Amino acid sequence: MKNTRKALRAVDTQLKDVNKQIHYTGQYLANKSVYGQMLNARNKRKFRQEHASEISAYEEAVKYIKERFPDSTAPSIKTLKEEKQKLADRQKSLQARLEHRKADQKDFRTVCSNVDAILGQGKTLKTERDLSQSL
């Protein structure tokens, strides 16, 4: 169960990372044209003021992508979504395995408590026999 939990946490971390990559790649692609228009605009300052949120989102995405992929080979959205699907499937299988292990552990604890109860009852019967024989 411990190993399954550890694997599930690792997959969750990878899934969060892929979601973040998808977010920034989408943000980059969505605002790339606005940034290009700013570069071609006659009055760049005015254009930047009018489209400040799109340009800052683009620049934020570029910064993330450059930090994450310094060799400039960021994966495509399609590749990232395929990876996300694989991780989601793996996450589901690990969650199912964890639930199965939890059920097994619960059954094991029930069996152990039943055995303890039987053995405890057996000890009580033995001591009662010993007491009755001594009287």
Side-chain angles (χ1 to χ4, degrees):
M1 211 163 106
K2 184 178 179 181
N3 291 336
T4 304
R5 279 191 182 137
K6 188 182 283 187
L8 186 58
R9 276 189 292 251
V11 168
D12 287 343
T13 302
Q14 290 174 335
L15 197 54
K16 286 178 186 175
D17 187 45
V18 168
N19 281 332
K20 193 172 183 181
Q21 289 177 30
I22 289 171
H23 169 76
Y24 281 111
T25 303
Q27 190 170 309
Y28 169 80
L29 294 172
N31 297 305
K32 184 177 180 181
S33 63
V34 174
Y35 191 79
Q37 290 172 6
M38 184 205 62
L39 294 177
N40 295 329
R42 288 186 180 184
N43 190 346
K44 290 180 177 37
R45 177 176 288 166
K46 182 179 177 186
F47 191 89
R48 185 178 271 281
Q49 288 174 349
E50 291 172 354
H51 301 281
S53 63
E54 293 99 337
I55 293 170
S56 66
Y58 173 83
E59 290 172 343
E60 180 183 2
V62 167
K63 181 181 175 187
Y64 173 81
I65 291 170
K66 283 184 178 180
E67 287 175 359
R68 183 83 170 119
F69 305 101
D71 58 352
S72 300
T73 56
S76 68
I77 290 279
K78 183 180 178 183
T79 305
L80 290 171
K81 287 187 177 183
E82 289 171 358
E83 185 177 350
K84 179 182 176 179
Q85 185 60 45
K86 288 178 187 175
L87 288 170
D89 292 342
R90 174 96 172 115
Q91 182 184 39
K92 285 180 186 177
S93 71
L94 286 171
Q95 286 172 340
R97 186 184 315 170
L98 185 62
E99 291 302 317
H100 181 70
R101 298 271 164 93
K102 283 181 181 180
D104 287 348
Q105 186 179 35
K106 184 179 177 183
D107 292 344
F108 180 71
R109 286 184 178 163
T110 301
V111 168
C112 286
S113 65
N114 289 343
V115 168
D116 288 343
I118 290 169
L119 291 176
Q121 188 180 24
K123 290 178 184 176
T124 305
L125 292 174
K126 184 178 179 183
T127 55
E128 288 176 3
R129 270 190 244 137
D130 292 340
L131 286 174
S132 65
Q133 288 177 356
S134 64
L135 293 174

